[in-house]
Structures are given as C-alpha cells and as structure tokens.
C-alpha cells in the first residue's frame, strides 16, 4: 500500500498532524476496507466463473447446429444449418386473451423452431428468436417460444434489438444467462417457484377484474407497481413496468408490455433486467398482440412463464396448488 499523503494525515478541521496511534488506526481501517472490497470483488468473480462453468457447451447443441455469424453486436450465434430463420407466427385472426382458448386445443409441434444460441468461448450464453418486422406490422401473435432447448439457468437480462434488412427488417429477442454488467444476481433452480410473499409491497393486484379474484383464465393473476407505467418504453431502466404473474400463491411468470408503435418505429430497448427478485428458468413465453386486426395500433405482451404451456392453458380458474 502506498504511504499516506500529508493531507490524509491531517485532521479535516485543521492542520495538526494525527498522533502515531491515530495514524496507525486510520491505516488499519483503510486496510480493512480494501480487504473487504477485494473479497467482494473476488466473490463476484467466483460467482461469474461458477455460472459460466454451469452453462451448456456448444457441443451439446442439437445435431446440425452450426456457427452462423455475428448479429446486432450480440456476439456469434449458432443456428440450425448455420442459417438464420425467423419465428413463424401463430396468426393474427384472434388477439390477446382470445387467442389462448384456441391455443389450448393443440400443442406447438416445434417449440424451438427458429431458435438461435449465442456462444462465447465454447459456452452457450444466450438464446433467442428473430421476429419479422412485417409480422409485427400485421399484428401477428406468437406462442410457445421455448427456452428449454437446453438446460439453461434463469436469464439475467432480455435485450430487444431491431435489425434493418429486407422486408422491413427483424427484431431480435435475446435472453442472456450471464450479466451484461455488474455482479451475478441470485436465481432459483428449475421448478422452484417463488412465493407471492417474495414480491415487494409496492406490487399490487390488477387486471381481469371481471373474473373472480382477478384471475385471468389460462394466465394467472397479474401484479405490478402501478406507480410506474404499464408498458416498457425503449429508454426505460430498472424494473420499470414489470409484471409478475401468480397462481396458487406462487409466482409463475414475469411479463413486459411493449408498445407496438415503438416496434413499428424500429426501436431497440435498453437491456431489460429479469433479476429484480430471484426467479427460476423460463420454460416458454408467448408474444400476444392486443387491440385487434382492424383496430388502432396496440401493444404486445411478452409473458415469460416458469411453468409449461400445457399447465397454464388448462386453467379456467385458479388452481388449488402447483
């Protein structure tokens, strides 16, 4: 450690040098603070290294997945056949919650159709999908985008990037399993659903008031901090607009609402944190358009579920247990 400067050895309110005992005490305090800071930094490094070590490796990807190219400044991606494919939509004839009873009648034949995986130094560090801008403009909806093609932990962030190109371009939705910056935040293992009591007091129940206990059929109860906006604008930070879903006293999804006009404008979003409180891995998500095909420009809801689609699509009312 460098020797203390003269100003550091003087009292703040005068120029009288400290006593030798006081000087050594100050050195001891500074040394303790430095040691604590180094320990915290070291612990963060260990947590990051442990998480990186736990991620699937590129060699575990399905047969036929090969390196495609870099995309949107998010690194190198592996895709089926080494070619990028957009996610096929699930129709625009019905919208919002009206789509769910129709989806209940069948299962998605290929939940990972179009999936892409970000690989860094041999580890699979992200997973996501490309949505065509033309499909957003046509008010299409998308069901069961699976994030369980491999055994991933809970993601730390979601990024949404607009990529210019033919036919209006594409939107890259990408879930990151390593922090984009800062320390690794705690997560839960697969199947461990957080209790509703883990939500901070600022979150309150809203939505589906026409149903008993505000339980939205085939989704769950919705809780958010109503002091913030109901949607996530591109420049938002922190947990702005986040919604948590609940059923049988357990948290079952995390949701963000995206204004359709921002998507139509070709916006990219600030990284969206998904670790405001510890969550388990995301099983699947659906991207639902609201407002109707012939109505005004509406919104998209991204419900990211911790439970399988066949579980929540079967709920006409709140389940007794999970």
């Amino acid at each position: 450690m460098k020797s203390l400067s003269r100003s550091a050895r003087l009292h703040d309110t005068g120029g009288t040098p400290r006593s030798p005992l006081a000087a050594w005490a100050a050195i001891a305090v500074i040394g303790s603070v430095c040691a604590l800071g180094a320990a915290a930094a070291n612990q963060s490094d260990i947590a990051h290294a442990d998480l990186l070590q736990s991620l699937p490796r590129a060699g575990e990807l399905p047969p036929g997945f090969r390196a495609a190219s870099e995309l949107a400044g998010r690194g190198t991606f592996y895709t089926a056949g080494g070619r990028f494919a957009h996610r096929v939509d699930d129709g625009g004839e019905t919208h919002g919650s009206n789509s769910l009873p129709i989806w209940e009648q069948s299962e998605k034949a290929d939940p990972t159709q179009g999936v892409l995986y970000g690989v860094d130094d041999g580890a699979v560090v992200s997973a996501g999908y490309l949505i065509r801008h033309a499909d957003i403009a046509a008010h299409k909806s998308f069901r069961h985008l699976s994030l369980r093609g491999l055994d991933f932990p809970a993601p730390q962030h979601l990024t949404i990037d607009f990529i210019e190109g033919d036919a209006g371009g594409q939107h890259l939705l990408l879930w990151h399993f390593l922090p984009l910056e800062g320390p690794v935040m705690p997560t839960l293992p697969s199947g461990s659903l957080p209790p509703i009591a883990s939500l901070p007091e600022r979150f309150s129940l809203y939505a589906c008031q026409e149903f008993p206990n505000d339980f939205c059929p085939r989704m769950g109860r919705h809780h958010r901090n109503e002091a913030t906006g109901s949607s996530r604008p591109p420049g938002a930070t922190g947990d702005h607009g986040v919604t948590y879903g609940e059923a049988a006293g357990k948290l079952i999804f995390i949701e963000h609402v995206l204004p359709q006009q921002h998507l139509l404008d070709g916006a990219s979003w600030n990284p969206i944190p998904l670790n405001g409180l510890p969550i388990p891995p995301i099983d699947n998500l659906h991207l639902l358009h609201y407002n109707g095909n012939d109505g005004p420009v509406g919104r998209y809801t991204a419900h990211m579920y911790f439970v399988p689609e066949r579980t929540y699509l079967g709920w006409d009312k709140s389940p007794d247990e999970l």
Side-chain angles (χ1 to χ4, degrees):
M1 181 182 294
K2 294 181 180 179
S3 60
L4 295 174
S5 66
R6 181 176 185 276
S7 59
R9 288 185 277 116
L10 301 182
H11 291 291
D12 294 337
T13 56
T16 306
R18 297 177 187 264
S19 68
L21 180 60
W24 282 112
I27 292 172
V29 169
I30 293 171
S32 298
V33 170
C34 291
L36 288 172
N42 186 54
Q43 190 64 37
S44 177
D45 290 341
I46 292 172
H48 191 283
D50 287 345
L51 177 55
L52 181 62
Q53 186 66 29
S54 73
L55 293 176
R57 311 300 295 178
E60 299 174 45
L61 291 171
F65 270 69
R66 299 196 300 272
S69 66
E70 191 274 345
L71 197 63
R74 300 295 179 185
T76 300
F77 292 94
Y78 279 55
T79 64
R83 296 181 298 274
F84 291 111
H86 69 273
R87 178 71 177 203
V88 175
D89 71 89
D90 288 278
E93 295 76 21
T94 56
H95 301 271
S97 303
N98 293 330
S99 299
L100 302 182
I102 297 173
W103 293 355
E104 183 188 3
Q105 302 307 310
S106 64
E107 291 191 9
K108 191 74 177 177
D110 184 6
T112 58
Q113 179 271 317
V115 69
L116 48 83
Y117 297 110
V119 175
D120 184 24
D121 197 23
V124 184
V125 298
S126 62
Y129 292 88
L130 286 166
I131 305 294
R132 293 192 305 182
H133 189 77
D135 290 332
I136 296 295
H139 314 308
K140 302 294 186 179
S141 289
F142 305 81
R143 71 176 288 194
H144 205 302
L145 282 72
S146 175
L147 287 179
R148 300 304 291 163
L150 294 173
D151 187 18
F152 291 117
Q156 301 264 321
H157 283 83
L158 163 65
T159 54
I160 304 174
D161 294 300
F162 176 66
I163 304 170
E164 295 182 355
D166 296 338
Q170 299 183 96
H171 305 267
L172 171 63
L173 280 69
L174 190 64
W175 286 263
H176 301 261
F177 307 111
L178 292 175
L180 297 177
E181 60 182 20
V184 173
M185 300 301 288
T187 60
L188 299 176
S190 180
S192 180
L193 300 176
I196 184 64
S198 64
L199 277 182
E201 290 185 1
R202 64 180 180 276
F203 285 83
S204 59
L205 181 65
Y206 83 101
C208 294
Q209 291 89 345
E210 67 272 28
F211 293 98
N213 301 314
D214 296 337
F215 188 86
C216 307
R218 300 172 183 85
M219 284 195 284
R221 297 182 188 87
H222 292 55
H223 300 256
R224 69 174 172 85
N225 177 10
E226 297 197 69
T228 67
S230 59
S231 62
R232 178 86 181 191
T237 58
D239 273 349
H240 182 100
V242 67
T243 290
Y244 288 94
E246 174 263 329
K250 302 291 182 65
L251 299 185
I252 55 170
F253 69 72
I254 183 171
E255 174 194 359
H256 277 284
V257 179
L258 308 173
Q260 187 180 9
Q261 188 61 57
H262 288 310
L263 291 163
L264 294 176
D265 291 341
S268 292
W269 268 253
N270 282 344
I272 302 172
L274 300 175
N275 50 23
L277 56 87
I279 62 170
I282 292 171
D283 184 279
N284 67 94
L285 64 135
H286 54 239
L287 193 62
L288 275 173
H289 176 262
Y290 279 81
N291 271 34
N293 192 47
D294 299 323
V297 170
R299 66 192 187 279
Y300 275 90
T301 64
H303 286 77
M304 297 167 267
Y305 277 90
F306 313 139
V307 295
E309 185 192 66
R310 63 179 175 272
T311 298
Y312 59 83
L313 286 185
W315 292 336
D316 289 322
K317 60 181 181 179
S318 181
D320 294 329
E321 59 181 6
L322 282 172

